[in-house]
């Protein structure tokens, strides 16, 4: 191997990136342990309060990530009602108009682990679509619950490892916490 090529390849390996980011709202509080679904019942503001440097996070986008017909920015509130021991009904509203509703069943659509609602883990390969600069594996976990002040809270944890532009090794770990204001609780 010629020296200039060896130097260039060595430089590319040293340029490999490892990054870890954490984004939280101002006055971030830890998760409170949720022992029953009844505790999370209420009406929540759809647009979350997070780190202002990042894009807005909508509760509706976490609940219905694959619904391209929803304009999450137009949804004002999300109502959560426990309808059975292991079932919650969730509705999205724009003003007084219902935009979407869904039923979530424990064990099928979510799990309760350590007092948090785990919406599930997504894993797969990035870089399979044209134009994506990274080829590698990713994993995303979304947890919902209440913070110690009784507000709604979400945590998204994403990890990615692979090759950027098929040359530069990259490992990224990101955690984003968002608060969703609880506008009211539901009467028993």
């Amino acid at each position: 191997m010629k020296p200039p090529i060896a130097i260039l390849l060595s430089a590319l390996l040293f340029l490999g990136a490892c990054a870890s980011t954490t984004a939280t709202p101002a006055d971030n509080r830890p998760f409170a342990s949720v022992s029953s679904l009844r505790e999370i019942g209420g009406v929540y503001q759809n647009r979350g309060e997070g780190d202002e440097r990042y894009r807005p996070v909508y509760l509706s986008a976490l609940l219905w990530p694959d619904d391209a017909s929803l304009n999450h920015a137009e949804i004002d509130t999300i109502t959560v009602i426990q309808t059975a021991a292991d079932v919650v009904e969730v509705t999205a509203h724009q003003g007084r108009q219902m935009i979407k509703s869904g039923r979530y069943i424990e064990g099928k659509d979510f799990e309760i682990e350590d007092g948090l609602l785990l919406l599930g883990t997504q894993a797969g390969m990035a870089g399979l679509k044209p134009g994506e600069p990274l080829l590698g594996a990713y994993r995303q976990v979304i947890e919902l619950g209440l913070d110690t002040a009784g507000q709604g809270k979400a945590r998204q944890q994403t990890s990615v490892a692979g090759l950027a532009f098929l040359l530069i090794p990259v490992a990224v770990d990101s955690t984003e916490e968002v608060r969703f204001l609880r506008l009211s609780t539901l009467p028993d």
Side-chain angles (χ1 to χ4, degrees):
M1 188 178 290
K2 296 181 180 180
I5 293 173
I7 293 171
L8 178 64
L9 288 176
S10 296
L12 284 175
L13 289 176
F14 285 117
L15 289 176
C18 291
S20 179
T21 63
T22 301
T24 61
D27 190 30
N28 188 39
R29 295 180 181 242
F31 275 102
S33 183
V34 174
S35 58
S36 79
L37 293 176
R38 182 166 303 284
E39 292 178 53
I40 65 167
V43 178
Y44 297 88
Q45 181 175 294
N46 187 42
R47 184 181 172 138
E49 295 178 344
D51 191 319
E52 295 299 321
R53 297 174 296 172
Y54 297 96
R55 71 192 172 15
V57 175
Y58 297 98
L59 184 53
S60 59
L62 298 176
L63 296 168
W64 298 291
D66 299 325
D67 190 339
S69 68
L70 286 177
N71 183 343
H72 299 289
E74 290 183 355
I75 296 172
D76 301 319
T77 60
I78 301 290
T79 302
V80 179
I81 301 172
Q82 180 185 17
T83 58
D86 61 348
V87 178
V88 291
E89 297 279 341
V90 179
T91 55
H93 298 271
Q94 180 182 14
R96 294 183 183 261
Q97 179 183 3
M98 183 182 72
I99 303 297
K100 182 163 179 105
S101 67
R103 171 182 259 200
Y104 294 87
I105 301 169
E106 184 179 357
K108 178 182 174 209
D109 302 307
F110 68 92
E111 298 290 336
I112 297 180
E113 292 182 9
D114 300 325
L116 303 177
L117 280 73
L118 178 63
L119 286 186
T121 300
Q122 296 178 343
M125 290 294 294
L128 301 177
K129 297 176 187 168
E132 289 183 343
L134 179 77
L135 177 63
Y138 72 89
R139 179 177 186 262
Q140 182 179 47
V141 176
I142 299 174
E143 300 165 309
L144 297 175
L146 298 175
D147 68 14
T148 55
Q151 304 299 326
K153 182 171 180 167
R155 177 170 45 213
Q156 297 180 80
Q157 297 174 310
T158 305
S159 300
V160 179
L163 293 173
F165 305 106
L166 296 176
L167 292 174
I168 303 168
V170 175
V172 178
D173 184 57
S174 172
T175 300
E176 183 175 19
E177 294 186 2
V178 179
R179 177 177 41 243
F180 297 97
L181 292 181
R182 190 180 212 174
L183 304 174
S184 68
T185 57
L186 300 174
D188 287 332

